[in-house]
Amino acid sequence: MQTRFSTEERQAEIVEAALRLARESSPALITTGDIAAAIGVTQGAVFKHFPTKDAIWLAAMRWVRETLLQKLQAAADEAATPLDALAAMFRAHVEFVIAHPGVPRFIFHELQQPADSAAKLEVRGVLQGYRKLLLGQLAESIEQRQVGPDLDPEAAATSFIGLIQGLVMQSMLTGKPAAMRQQANAIFVLYRRGLGEAR
């Protein structure tokens, strides 16, 4: 006997399946038939909840934006100092990618598209929300004199995101997302030194 799901539960299951499939395949190659097979329903059942594949990708990107930014904010909120908050955010992002390795593949796929889609706008929303969180912690680190007053917060935020992206790219090339965990701490130590941490 098949379990009956609410619309919201089924939509969440479809999104989860799409991101899971993106671990191994390019999002461009994933079909609604693949997603249906992954959760054991008909293709028609998928279309009952999402009119197009693009609508699934949009829902997936919304989930990424909400979930990742919540995890980063929670990590920052638990830290004792702004610099500790940055370290906690770095670790939280690494753990998010390890848990959901299909997400970066999906994000890179969207960013490569020449036209602006709704999903691509969500990717942009993730980056804007991310930068806002980083700039807040960097401003506090300057205010609390944890770093020098001449620190460029915009450059520091760009560097932070760039380090994460580099780790993610390496993990995609090796196919070993968990390897990020070993490298992350050493890389963040270098980043922290680059901020000119006050002694």
Side-chain angles (χ1 to χ4, degrees):
M1 187 173 174
Q2 196 170 23
T3 304
R4 290 188 64 82
F5 289 94
S6 69
T7 297
E8 292 77 14
E9 288 171 332
R10 185 64 84 187
Q11 286 175 335
E13 185 186 33
I14 290 168
V15 164
E16 183 183 347
L19 290 173
R20 194 167 61 245
L21 289 168
R23 294 179 180 186
E24 307 296 336
S25 302
S26 165
L29 301 177
I30 298 169
T31 67
T32 50
D34 295 331
I35 296 168
I39 59 175
V41 300
T42 65
Q43 196 169 0
V46 171
F47 284 123
K48 181 181 175 184
H49 296 285
F50 291 103
T52 63
K53 189 172 88 165
D54 285 345
I56 297 173
W57 291 146
L58 174 58
M61 202 58 240
R62 282 182 177 153
W63 177 87
V64 170
R65 177 168 58 85
E66 292 168 6
T67 306
L68 177 59
L69 294 181
Q70 282 174 2
K71 286 184 179 296
L72 294 174
Q73 185 66 67
D77 289 345
E78 291 176 7
T81 70
L83 285 183
D84 288 342
L86 289 171
M89 289 169 66
F90 199 87
R91 286 192 300 271
H93 194 158
V94 167
E95 292 300 325
F96 179 81
V97 174
I98 291 170
H100 308 284
V103 168
R105 197 182 294 271
F106 171 68
I107 289 175
F108 290 137
H109 168 75
E110 288 301 322
L111 291 176
Q112 288 170 13
Q113 304 311 306
D116 275 350
S117 65
K120 190 173 182 179
L121 292 175
E122 284 291 329
V123 173
R124 200 168 289 154
V126 173
L127 294 173
Q128 289 170 345
Y130 204 145
R131 284 190 76 85
K132 185 177 178 182
L133 284 174
L134 288 172
L135 290 170
Q137 295 301 329
L138 288 162
E140 283 190 39
S141 70
I142 294 170
E143 189 178 319
Q144 295 183 20
R145 298 182 180 179
Q146 285 196 282
V147 297
D150 58 344
L151 175 71
D152 182 339
E154 291 286 346
T158 299
S159 297
F160 185 104
I161 294 170
L163 289 172
I164 291 282
Q165 289 171 336
L167 278 169
V168 170
M169 288 295 286
Q170 281 192 331
S171 76
M172 290 173 72
L173 286 169
T174 62
K176 298 176 180 176
M180 293 174 64
R181 195 177 283 126
Q182 286 79 37
Q183 297 176 304
N185 287 338
I187 287 173
F188 192 81
V189 167
L190 292 175
Y191 175 76
R192 199 159 173 159
R193 286 178 189 164
L195 294 179
E197 184 176 0
R199 298 288 178 187

